[in-house]
Amino acid sequence: MIIPFLELANNSRIWIYPSSRKFYDSEISNLKQKVETFLEGWLEDEVKCAFQLKYNRFLVFGAEKEDIKISEIDQLVAFILQLQSDYKVELLDRMNACFKQGEYVQYKELKEFQKLIKQKAVSKKTIVFDNLLESKKDFDSFWEIPISESWYSRFLK
């Protein structure tokens, strides 16, 4: 059962997929329709699930289910792989950094991000996105945080 993302319980399991580029306005309606169709058949009917597209760049899925089966994760990953193909984006690369520069969200390979830190193009106050969070509560509280409060802070030394 699809519900609005804001209505998911705090202990809901989430998955965050950052896109290597912003989705174009012309793609968003179709993308949302594909995601809703996937979610309608993904988990049992009584399981509440939701998604949101943040900054036209991050696909965030949530489910009020504690014991997600491996086969259900496989279905989600297969769907994400299909979206990558459909929209010519990278969504599964965990070796990147997403951060804000002014009003824009940047997506850089980790090595490039480290260079930006060394060059002082980003500072300890730069907002980064922690895409490894697993609960909605953590997503709501700790997804957008300064580098100094994130695991990226180790690169500041």
Side-chain angles (χ1 to χ4, degrees):
M1 167 186 353
I2 301 174
I3 63 171
F5 191 86
L6 292 174
E7 293 178 18
L8 279 174
N10 280 337
N11 65 342
S12 295
R13 175 78 168 86
I14 63 155
W15 298 266
I16 306 165
Y17 296 99
S19 175
S20 53
R21 68 161 171 83
K22 199 174 172 181
F23 287 98
Y24 303 118
D25 291 341
S26 60
E27 298 172 321
I28 291 174
S29 178
N30 186 261
L31 173 65
K32 288 181 177 181
Q33 184 178 23
K34 285 181 181 190
V35 171
E36 287 178 5
T37 299
F38 168 76
L39 289 179
E40 287 170 358
W42 182 38
L43 302 171
E44 299 91 31
D45 288 340
E46 69 276 1
V47 175
K48 294 177 183 173
C49 57
F51 80 96
Q52 69 178 167
L53 180 62
K54 296 284 285 183
Y55 300 109
N56 289 353
R57 187 163 212 143
F58 300 89
L59 274 172
V60 185
F61 294 82
E64 288 186 10
K65 184 177 180 186
E66 291 180 27
D67 56 333
I68 302 291
K69 299 174 190 165
I70 290 175
S71 62
E72 293 166 335
I73 298 296
D74 288 346
Q75 290 171 347
L76 179 58
V77 171
F79 175 68
I80 295 300
L81 286 169
Q82 184 61 53
L83 291 179
Q84 284 186 152
S85 176
D86 292 348
Y87 295 98
K88 308 293 185 258
V89 296
E90 178 61 52
L91 294 165
L92 291 170
D93 184 4
R94 297 289 185 181
M95 295 307 295
N96 63 62
C98 298
F99 59 99
K100 284 185 176 177
Q101 277 193 319
E103 64 184 74
Y104 299 102
V105 174
Q106 301 293 323
Y107 176 102
K108 300 285 184 191
E109 288 185 14
L110 209 48
K111 288 181 181 182
E112 181 67 25
F113 184 64
Q114 289 173 291
K115 287 179 187 176
L116 291 174
I117 291 173
K118 286 180 184 175
Q119 296 168 352
K120 305 235 186 275
V122 295
S123 73
K124 65 182 181 178
K125 293 181 181 180
T126 299
I127 300 298
V128 293
F129 299 90
D130 185 349
N131 297 315
L132 303 176
L133 300 174
E134 296 184 350
S135 75
K136 181 171 178 291
K137 181 180 180 181
D138 286 346
F139 177 77
D140 290 342
S141 301
F142 304 112
W143 183 53
E144 295 183 50
I145 56 176
I147 291 176
S148 61
E149 296 175 25
S150 76
W151 69 269
Y152 293 109
S153 66
R154 65 185 178 191
F155 300 133
L156 295 171
K157 298 172 182 163

